[in-house]
mmCIF file of all heavy atoms in Angstrom:
data_model
loop_
_atom_site.group_PDB
_atom_site.id
_atom_site.type_symbol
_atom_site.label_atom_id
_atom_site.label_comp_id
_atom_site.label_asym_id
_atom_site.label_seq_id
_atom_site.Cartn_x
_atom_site.Cartn_y
_atom_site.Cartn_z
ATOM 1 N N ALA A 34 -1.404 7.059 12.457
ATOM 2 C CA ALA A 34 -1.217 7.245 11.020
ATOM 3 C C ALA A 34 -2.116 6.306 10.228
ATOM 4 O O ALA A 34 -2.702 6.688 9.215
ATOM 5 C CB ALA A 34 0.241 7.016 10.648
ATOM 6 N N LEU A 35 -2.244 5.060 10.702
ATOM 7 C CA LEU A 35 -3.113 4.096 10.029
ATOM 8 C C LEU A 35 -4.568 4.532 10.090
ATOM 9 O O LEU A 35 -5.310 4.383 9.105
ATOM 10 C CB LEU A 35 -2.942 2.717 10.665
ATOM 11 C CG LEU A 35 -3.804 1.594 10.090
ATOM 12 C CD1 LEU A 35 -3.507 1.387 8.617
ATOM 13 C CD2 LEU A 35 -3.563 0.296 10.875
ATOM 14 N N ALA A 36 -4.980 5.081 11.220
ATOM 15 C CA ALA A 36 -6.358 5.547 11.346
ATOM 16 C C ALA A 36 -6.650 6.694 10.383
ATOM 17 O O ALA A 36 -7.780 6.849 9.920
ATOM 18 C CB ALA A 36 -6.634 5.988 12.788
ATOM 19 N N GLY A 37 -5.617 7.470 10.068
ATOM 20 C CA GLY A 37 -5.818 8.589 9.147
ATOM 21 C C GLY A 37 -5.780 8.206 7.683
ATOM 22 O O GLY A 37 -6.135 9.008 6.816
ATOM 23 N N MET A 38 -5.353 6.973 7.367
ATOM 24 C CA MET A 38 -5.268 6.531 5.969
ATOM 25 C C MET A 38 -6.588 5.898 5.524
ATOM 26 O O MET A 38 -6.651 4.715 5.194
ATOM 27 C CB MET A 38 -4.123 5.529 5.795
ATOM 28 C CG MET A 38 -2.729 6.102 5.994
ATOM 29 S SD MET A 38 -2.314 7.337 4.742
ATOM 30 C CE MET A 38 -2.581 8.858 5.650
ATOM 31 N N SER A 39 -7.658 6.661 5.594
ATOM 32 C CA SER A 39 -8.976 6.142 5.240
ATOM 33 C C SER A 39 -9.421 6.574 3.846
ATOM 34 O O SER A 39 -10.552 6.286 3.457
ATOM 35 C CB SER A 39 -10.012 6.608 6.266
ATOM 36 O OG SER A 39 -10.035 8.033 6.331
ATOM 37 N N GLY A 40 -8.558 7.257 3.109
ATOM 38 C CA GLY A 40 -8.928 7.723 1.777
ATOM 39 C C GLY A 40 -9.043 6.574 0.778
ATOM 40 O O GLY A 40 -8.579 5.456 1.022
ATOM 41 N N ASP A 41 -9.672 6.882 -0.359
ATOM 42 C CA ASP A 41 -9.884 5.863 -1.384
ATOM 43 C C ASP A 41 -8.943 6.044 -2.565
ATOM 44 O O ASP A 41 -9.164 5.468 -3.625
ATOM 45 C CB ASP A 41 -11.346 5.913 -1.869
ATOM 46 C CG ASP A 41 -11.717 4.669 -2.648
ATOM 47 O OD1 ASP A 41 -11.174 3.591 -2.345
ATOM 48 O OD2 ASP A 41 -12.531 4.779 -3.593
ATOM 49 N N ASP A 42 -7.894 6.826 -2.405
ATOM 50 C CA ASP A 42 -6.935 7.022 -3.487
ATOM 51 C C ASP A 42 -5.828 5.978 -3.389
ATOM 52 O O ASP A 42 -5.703 5.266 -2.393
ATOM 53 C CB ASP A 42 -6.343 8.435 -3.430
ATOM 54 C CG ASP A 42 -5.642 8.692 -2.114
ATOM 55 O OD1 ASP A 42 -6.343 9.003 -1.124
ATOM 56 O OD2 ASP A 42 -4.407 8.565 -2.059
ATOM 57 N N ALA A 43 -5.030 5.897 -4.457
ATOM 58 C CA ALA A 43 -4.009 4.852 -4.535
ATOM 59 C C ALA A 43 -2.946 5.000 -3.455
ATOM 60 O O ALA A 43 -2.512 4.003 -2.861
ATOM 61 C CB ALA A 43 -3.361 4.864 -5.918
ATOM 62 N N MET A 44 -2.499 6.224 -3.168
ATOM 63 C CA MET A 44 -1.457 6.420 -2.164
ATOM 64 C C MET A 44 -1.937 6.016 -0.788
ATOM 65 O O MET A 44 -1.181 5.393 -0.011
ATOM 66 C CB MET A 44 -0.999 7.881 -2.157
ATOM 67 C CG MET A 44 0.134 8.171 -1.183
ATOM 68 S SD MET A 44 1.647 7.228 -1.538
ATOM 69 C CE MET A 44 2.292 8.178 -2.927
ATOM 70 N N SER A 45 -3.182 6.329 -0.453
ATOM 71 C CA SER A 45 -3.714 5.909 0.846
ATOM 72 C C SER A 45 -3.733 4.393 0.960
ATOM 73 O O SER A 45 -3.401 3.837 2.016
ATOM 74 C CB SER A 45 -5.137 6.466 1.027
ATOM 75 O OG SER A 45 -5.126 7.873 1.104
ATOM 76 N N ARG A 46 -4.108 3.713 -0.115
ATOM 77 C CA ARG A 46 -4.144 2.250 -0.072
ATOM 78 C C ARG A 46 -2.745 1.667 0.081
ATOM 79 O O ARG A 46 -2.547 0.677 0.803
ATOM 80 C CB ARG A 46 -4.825 1.711 -1.331
ATOM 81 C CG ARG A 46 -6.320 1.967 -1.356
ATOM 82 C CD ARG A 46 -6.993 1.190 -2.474
ATOM 83 N NE ARG A 46 -6.666 1.726 -3.781
ATOM 84 C CZ ARG A 46 -7.375 2.665 -4.415
ATOM 85 N NH1 ARG A 46 -8.451 3.186 -3.834
ATOM 86 N NH2 ARG A 46 -7.026 3.090 -5.613
ATOM 87 N N VAL A 47 -1.758 2.260 -0.583
ATOM 88 C CA VAL A 47 -0.386 1.762 -0.484
ATOM 89 C C VAL A 47 0.153 1.956 0.930
ATOM 90 O O VAL A 47 0.715 1.019 1.541
ATOM 91 C CB VAL A 47 0.513 2.473 -1.513
ATOM 92 C CG1 VAL A 47 1.989 2.181 -1.240
ATOM 93 C CG2 VAL A 47 0.160 2.026 -2.922
ATOM 94 N N LEU A 48 -0.015 3.144 1.482
ATOM 95 C CA LEU A 48 0.492 3.411 2.823
ATOM 96 C C LEU A 48 -0.264 2.585 3.858
ATOM 97 O O LEU A 48 0.327 2.105 4.839
ATOM 98 C CB LEU A 48 0.371 4.901 3.138
ATOM 99 C CG LEU A 48 1.218 5.827 2.261
ATOM 100 C CD1 LEU A 48 0.991 7.282 2.643
ATOM 101 C CD2 LEU A 48 2.698 5.480 2.369
ATOM 102 N N ARG A 49 -1.570 2.405 3.647
ATOM 103 C CA ARG A 49 -2.350 1.594 4.588
ATOM 104 C C ARG A 49 -1.875 0.142 4.574
ATOM 105 O O ARG A 49 -1.770 -0.499 5.628
ATOM 106 C CB ARG A 49 -3.833 1.691 4.216
ATOM 107 C CG ARG A 49 -4.750 0.995 5.219
ATOM 108 C CD ARG A 49 -6.205 1.458 5.071
ATOM 109 N NE ARG A 49 -6.698 1.234 3.720
ATOM 110 C CZ ARG A 49 -7.108 2.220 2.904
ATOM 111 N NH1 ARG A 49 -7.018 3.485 3.292
ATOM 112 N NH2 ARG A 49 -7.578 1.940 1.709
ATOM 113 N N ALA A 50 -1.581 -0.386 3.382
ATOM 114 C CA ALA A 50 -1.086 -1.759 3.298
ATOM 115 C C ALA A 50 0.238 -1.914 4.026
ATOM 116 O O ALA A 50 0.472 -2.925 4.715
ATOM 117 C CB ALA A 50 -0.924 -2.159 1.832
ATOM 118 N N GLY A 51 1.119 -0.915 3.912
ATOM 119 C CA GLY A 51 2.381 -0.994 4.631
ATOM 120 C C GLY A 51 2.213 -0.865 6.124
ATOM 121 O O GLY A 51 2.837 -1.607 6.901
ATOM 122 N N LEU A 52 1.354 0.057 6.568
ATOM 123 C CA LEU A 52 1.154 0.251 8.007
ATOM 124 C C LEU A 52 0.505 -0.964 8.652
ATOM 125 O O LEU A 52 0.787 -1.281 9.823
ATOM 126 C CB LEU A 52 0.297 1.497 8.230
ATOM 127 C CG LEU A 52 0.990 2.837 7.927
ATOM 128 C CD1 LEU A 52 -0.016 3.976 7.957
ATOM 129 C CD2 LEU A 52 2.128 3.102 8.907
ATOM 130 N N LEU A 53 -0.356 -1.645 7.940
ATOM 131 C CA LEU A 53 -0.981 -2.845 8.483
ATOM 132 C C LEU A 53 0.037 -3.956 8.740
ATOM 133 O O LEU A 53 -0.179 -4.816 9.602
ATOM 134 C CB LEU A 53 -2.067 -3.353 7.533
ATOM 135 C CG LEU A 53 -3.368 -2.544 7.509
ATOM 136 C CD1 LEU A 53 -4.263 -3.017 6.373
ATOM 137 C CD2 LEU A 53 -4.095 -2.647 8.851
ATOM 138 N N ALA A 54 1.147 -3.935 7.998
ATOM 139 C CA ALA A 54 2.168 -4.973 8.142
ATOM 140 C C ALA A 54 3.371 -4.504 8.940
ATOM 141 O O ALA A 54 4.372 -5.227 9.007
ATOM 142 C CB ALA A 54 2.625 -5.443 6.753
ATOM 143 N N GLN A 55 3.293 -3.349 9.582
ATOM 144 C CA GLN A 55 4.482 -2.785 10.218
ATOM 145 C C GLN A 55 4.944 -3.594 11.430
ATOM 146 O O GLN A 55 6.122 -3.602 11.755
ATOM 147 C CB GLN A 55 4.218 -1.319 10.600
ATOM 148 C CG GLN A 55 3.109 -1.076 11.598
ATOM 149 C CD GLN A 55 3.616 -1.019 13.023
ATOM 150 O OE1 GLN A 55 4.812 -0.836 13.256
ATOM 151 N NE2 GLN A 55 2.706 -1.190 13.980
ATOM 152 N N GLU A 56 4.046 -4.326 12.079
ATOM 153 C CA GLU A 56 4.460 -5.112 13.236
ATOM 154 C C GLU A 56 5.279 -6.338 12.842
ATOM 155 O O GLU A 56 5.942 -6.945 13.685
ATOM 156 C CB GLU A 56 3.226 -5.558 14.027
ATOM 157 C CG GLU A 56 2.492 -4.408 14.697
ATOM 158 C CD GLU A 56 1.323 -4.891 15.527
ATOM 159 O OE1 GLU A 56 1.042 -6.111 15.485
ATOM 160 O OE2 GLU A 56 0.709 -4.054 16.218
ATOM 161 N N ARG A 57 5.244 -6.728 11.573
ATOM 162 C CA ARG A 57 6.006 -7.903 11.104
ATOM 163 C C ARG A 57 7.372 -7.525 10.556
ATOM 164 O O ARG A 57 8.031 -8.343 9.921
ATOM 165 C CB ARG A 57 5.186 -8.643 10.050
ATOM 166 C CG ARG A 57 4.001 -9.372 10.634
ATOM 167 C CD ARG A 57 3.161 -10.047 9.577
ATOM 168 N NE ARG A 57 2.293 -9.099 8.903
ATOM 169 C CZ ARG A 57 1.478 -9.402 7.893
ATOM 170 N NH1 ARG A 57 1.461 -10.654 7.426
ATOM 171 N NH2 ARG A 57 0.712 -8.495 7.357
ATOM 172 N N GLY A 58 7.792 -6.306 10.772
ATOM 173 C CA GLY A 58 9.131 -5.901 10.380
ATOM 174 C C GLY A 58 9.161 -5.039 9.133
ATOM 175 O O GLY A 58 8.205 -5.023 8.338
ATOM 176 N N PRO A 59 10.262 -4.316 8.949
ATOM 177 C CA PRO A 59 10.349 -3.388 7.831
ATOM 178 C C PRO A 59 10.332 -4.058 6.458
ATOM 179 O O PRO A 59 9.786 -3.504 5.505
ATOM 180 C CB PRO A 59 11.679 -2.657 8.080
ATOM 181 C CG PRO A 59 12.458 -3.562 8.976
ATOM 182 C CD PRO A 59 11.453 -4.256 9.808
ATOM 183 N N GLU A 60 10.934 -5.242 6.368
ATOM 184 C CA GLU A 60 10.958 -5.907 5.068
ATOM 185 C C GLU A 60 9.560 -6.321 4.633
ATOM 186 O O GLU A 60 9.168 -6.123 3.476
ATOM 187 C CB GLU A 60 11.876 -7.132 5.141
ATOM 188 C CG GLU A 60 12.052 -7.847 3.807
ATOM 189 C CD GLU A 60 12.767 -6.983 2.776
ATOM 190 O OE1 GLU A 60 13.546 -6.097 3.170
ATOM 191 O OE2 GLU A 60 12.540 -7.204 1.566
ATOM 192 N N THR A 61 8.810 -6.905 5.558
ATOM 193 C CA THR A 61 7.436 -7.288 5.238
ATOM 194 C C THR A 61 6.585 -6.068 4.941
ATOM 195 O O THR A 61 5.727 -6.085 4.044
ATOM 196 C CB THR A 61 6.827 -8.077 6.403
ATOM 197 O OG1 THR A 61 7.642 -9.220 6.669
ATOM 198 C CG2 THR A 61 5.418 -8.521 6.073
ATOM 199 N N MET A 62 6.810 -4.984 5.689
ATOM 200 C CA MET A 62 6.084 -3.748 5.439
ATOM 201 C C MET A 62 6.350 -3.230 4.027
ATOM 202 O O MET A 62 5.421 -2.840 3.294
ATOM 203 C CB MET A 62 6.493 -2.689 6.472
ATOM 204 C CG MET A 62 5.764 -1.362 6.316
ATOM 205 S SD MET A 62 6.515 -0.055 7.307
ATOM 206 C CE MET A 62 6.472 -0.802 8.909
ATOM 207 N N HIS A 63 7.616 -3.251 3.632
ATOM 208 C CA HIS A 63 7.973 -2.777 2.295
ATOM 209 C C HIS A 63 7.347 -3.656 1.225
ATOM 210 O O HIS A 63 6.814 -3.161 0.225
ATOM 211 C CB HIS A 63 9.493 -2.760 2.143
ATOM 212 C CG HIS A 63 9.941 -2.271 0.812
ATOM 213 N ND1 HIS A 63 11.117 -2.696 0.225
ATOM 214 C CD2 HIS A 63 9.383 -1.407 -0.080
ATOM 215 C CE1 HIS A 63 11.255 -2.115 -0.956
ATOM 216 N NE2 HIS A 63 10.222 -1.325 -1.154
ATOM 217 N N LEU A 64 7.396 -4.975 1.414
ATOM 218 C CA LEU A 64 6.825 -5.885 0.429
ATOM 219 C C LEU A 64 5.318 -5.697 0.302
ATOM 220 O O LEU A 64 4.768 -5.715 -0.813
ATOM 221 C CB LEU A 64 7.147 -7.331 0.806
ATOM 222 C CG LEU A 64 8.619 -7.750 0.672
ATOM 223 C CD1 LEU A 64 8.813 -9.172 1.186
ATOM 224 C CD2 LEU A 64 9.086 -7.632 -0.770
ATOM 225 N N ALA A 65 4.643 -5.501 1.418
ATOM 226 C CA ALA A 65 3.191 -5.315 1.383
ATOM 227 C C ALA A 65 2.817 -4.026 0.676
ATOM 228 O O ALA A 65 1.903 -3.987 -0.158
ATOM 229 C CB ALA A 65 2.626 -5.336 2.807
ATOM 230 N N ALA A 66 3.537 -2.948 1.002
ATOM 231 C CA ALA A 66 3.247 -1.662 0.365
ATOM 232 C C ALA A 66 3.593 -1.691 -1.121
ATOM 233 O O ALA A 66 2.853 -1.152 -1.959
ATOM 234 C CB ALA A 66 4.012 -0.548 1.071
ATOM 235 N N ARG A 67 4.704 -2.333 -1.456
ATOM 236 C CA ARG A 67 5.104 -2.393 -2.859
ATOM 237 C C ARG A 67 4.139 -3.258 -3.675
ATOM 238 O O ARG A 67 3.833 -2.919 -4.819
ATOM 239 C CB ARG A 67 6.523 -2.949 -2.971
ATOM 240 C CG ARG A 67 7.071 -2.926 -4.381
ATOM 241 C CD ARG A 67 8.504 -3.414 -4.427
ATOM 242 N NE ARG A 67 9.017 -3.398 -5.782
ATOM 243 C CZ ARG A 67 10.219 -3.820 -6.127
ATOM 244 N NH1 ARG A 67 11.043 -4.291 -5.192
ATOM 245 N NH2 ARG A 67 10.619 -3.773 -7.374
ATOM 246 N N ALA A 68 3.680 -4.369 -3.107
ATOM 247 C CA ALA A 68 2.707 -5.197 -3.810
ATOM 248 C C ALA A 68 1.418 -4.427 -4.077
ATOM 249 O O ALA A 68 0.820 -4.528 -5.157
ATOM 250 C CB ALA A 68 2.412 -6.460 -3.002
ATOM 251 N N CYS A 69 0.998 -3.634 -3.116
ATOM 252 C CA CYS A 69 -0.191 -2.807 -3.314
ATOM 253 C C CYS A 69 0.051 -1.757 -4.393
ATOM 254 O O CYS A 69 -0.828 -1.492 -5.222
ATOM 255 C CB CYS A 69 -0.581 -2.157 -1.987
ATOM 256 S SG CYS A 69 -2.104 -1.203 -2.083
ATOM 257 N N ALA A 70 1.250 -1.159 -4.401
ATOM 258 C CA ALA A 70 1.573 -0.167 -5.430
ATOM 259 C C ALA A 70 1.540 -0.781 -6.821
ATOM 260 O O ALA A 70 1.059 -0.156 -7.777
ATOM 261 C CB ALA A 70 2.947 0.440 -5.144
ATOM 262 N N GLN A 71 2.027 -2.003 -6.943
ATOM 263 C CA GLN A 71 2.004 -2.668 -8.247
ATOM 264 C C GLN A 71 0.587 -2.975 -8.701
ATOM 265 O O GLN A 71 0.289 -2.933 -9.894
ATOM 266 C CB GLN A 71 2.841 -3.948 -8.179
ATOM 267 C CG GLN A 71 4.336 -3.681 -8.033
ATOM 268 C CD GLN A 71 5.140 -4.949 -7.824
ATOM 269 O OE1 GLN A 71 4.582 -6.011 -7.538
ATOM 270 N NE2 GLN A 71 6.455 -4.850 -7.940
ATOM 271 N N ARG A 72 -0.305 -3.248 -7.758
ATOM 272 C CA ARG A 72 -1.702 -3.486 -8.130
ATOM 273 C C ARG A 72 -2.384 -2.209 -8.606
ATOM 274 O O ARG A 72 -3.356 -2.262 -9.360
ATOM 275 C CB ARG A 72 -2.476 -4.078 -6.940
ATOM 276 C CG ARG A 72 -2.086 -5.510 -6.605
ATOM 277 C CD ARG A 72 -3.093 -6.135 -5.655
ATOM 278 N NE ARG A 72 -3.133 -5.459 -4.368
ATOM 279 C CZ ARG A 72 -2.379 -5.798 -3.323
ATOM 280 N NH1 ARG A 72 -1.510 -6.795 -3.427
ATOM 281 N NH2 ARG A 72 -2.486 -5.137 -2.191
ATOM 282 N N GLU A 73 -1.886 -1.070 -8.177
ATOM 283 C CA GLU A 73 -2.477 0.205 -8.582
ATOM 284 C C GLU A 73 -2.040 0.639 -9.977
ATOM 285 O O GLU A 73 -2.642 1.541 -10.555
ATOM 286 C CB GLU A 73 -2.097 1.300 -7.576
ATOM 287 C CG GLU A 73 -2.602 1.078 -6.167
ATOM 288 C CD GLU A 73 -4.114 1.162 -6.075
ATOM 289 O OE1 GLU A 73 -4.730 1.811 -6.947
ATOM 290 O OE2 GLU A 73 -4.671 0.576 -5.133
ATOM 291 N N VAL A 74 -1.004 0.015 -10.516
ATOM 292 C CA VAL A 74 -0.480 0.433 -11.818
ATOM 293 C C VAL A 74 -1.528 0.285 -12.916
ATOM 294 O O VAL A 74 -1.693 1.171 -13.767
ATOM 295 C CB VAL A 74 0.797 -0.369 -12.161
ATOM 296 C CG1 VAL A 74 1.215 -0.117 -13.606
ATOM 297 C CG2 VAL A 74 1.925 0.007 -11.216
ATOM 298 N N ALA A 75 -2.256 -0.816 -12.896
ATOM 299 C CA ALA A 75 -3.250 -1.053 -13.951
ATOM 300 C C ALA A 75 -4.312 0.038 -13.970
ATOM 301 O O ALA A 75 -4.737 0.489 -15.039
ATOM 302 C CB ALA A 75 -3.900 -2.426 -13.747
ATOM 303 N N GLY A 76 -4.731 0.499 -12.796
ATOM 304 C CA GLY A 76 -5.732 1.554 -12.741
ATOM 305 C C GLY A 76 -5.200 2.886 -13.254
ATOM 306 O O GLY A 76 -5.921 3.633 -13.907
ATOM 307 N N ILE A 77 -3.947 3.175 -12.957
ATOM 308 C CA ILE A 77 -3.367 4.430 -13.403
ATOM 309 C C ILE A 77 -3.164 4.429 -14.918
ATOM 310 O O ILE A 77 -3.381 5.442 -15.595
ATOM 311 C CB ILE A 77 -2.038 4.685 -12.666
ATOM 312 C CG1 ILE A 77 -2.304 4.961 -11.181
ATOM 313 C CG2 ILE A 77 -1.274 5.859 -13.290
ATOM 314 C CD1 ILE A 77 -1.057 5.115 -10.350
ATOM 315 N N GLU A 78 -2.765 3.290 -15.466
ATOM 316 C CA GLU A 78 -2.491 3.209 -16.901
ATOM 317 C C GLU A 78 -3.716 2.822 -17.723
ATOM 318 O O GLU A 78 -3.604 2.668 -18.941
ATOM 319 C CB GLU A 78 -1.372 2.198 -17.150
ATOM 320 C CG GLU A 78 -0.020 2.630 -16.582
ATOM 321 C CD GLU A 78 1.071 1.636 -16.887
ATOM 322 O OE1 GLU A 78 0.737 0.454 -17.167
ATOM 323 O OE2 GLU A 78 2.252 2.020 -16.848
ATOM 324 N N ARG A 79 -4.861 2.688 -17.102
ATOM 325 C CA ARG A 79 -6.064 2.258 -17.813
ATOM 326 C C ARG A 79 -6.419 3.216 -18.961
ATOM 327 O O ARG A 79 -6.447 4.426 -18.781
ATOM 328 C CB ARG A 79 -7.248 2.172 -16.855
ATOM 329 C CG ARG A 79 -8.515 1.595 -17.476
ATOM 330 C CD ARG A 79 -9.635 1.475 -16.473
ATOM 331 N NE ARG A 79 -10.088 2.782 -16.017
ATOM 332 C CZ ARG A 79 -9.915 3.254 -14.798
ATOM 333 N NH1 ARG A 79 -9.269 2.511 -13.901
ATOM 334 N NH2 ARG A 79 -10.344 4.432 -14.445
ATOM 335 N N GLY A 80 -6.642 2.667 -20.142
ATOM 336 C CA GLY A 80 -7.051 3.453 -21.295
ATOM 337 C C GLY A 80 -5.907 3.964 -22.154
ATOM 338 O O GLY A 80 -6.133 4.326 -23.313
#
């Protein structure tokens, strides 16, 4: 699944951030994915 998340869209980046942290447990995975999602907010709301 991580190998397939090579897109440059916001959802791919969020899922990739979570999958990269999946070996450190579900809580860390959720925090990593959520932090990435929050960073994408500025781009979505730009303008």
Side-chain angles (χ1 to χ4, degrees):
L35 179 60
M38 293 295 101
S39 58
D41 195 32
D42 59 279
M44 183 61 77
S45 294
R46 289 191 289 269
V47 169
L48 296 179
R49 186 163 57 242
L52 289 170
L53 286 171
Q55 62 93 18
E56 292 183 355
R57 288 177 281 177
E60 184 65 27
T61 303
M62 181 192 305
H63 181 210
L64 290 175
R67 185 177 180 183
C69 184
Q71 291 174 346
R72 289 193 296 269
E73 298 293 336
V74 170
I77 292 175
E78 294 182 339
R79 186 177 66 248

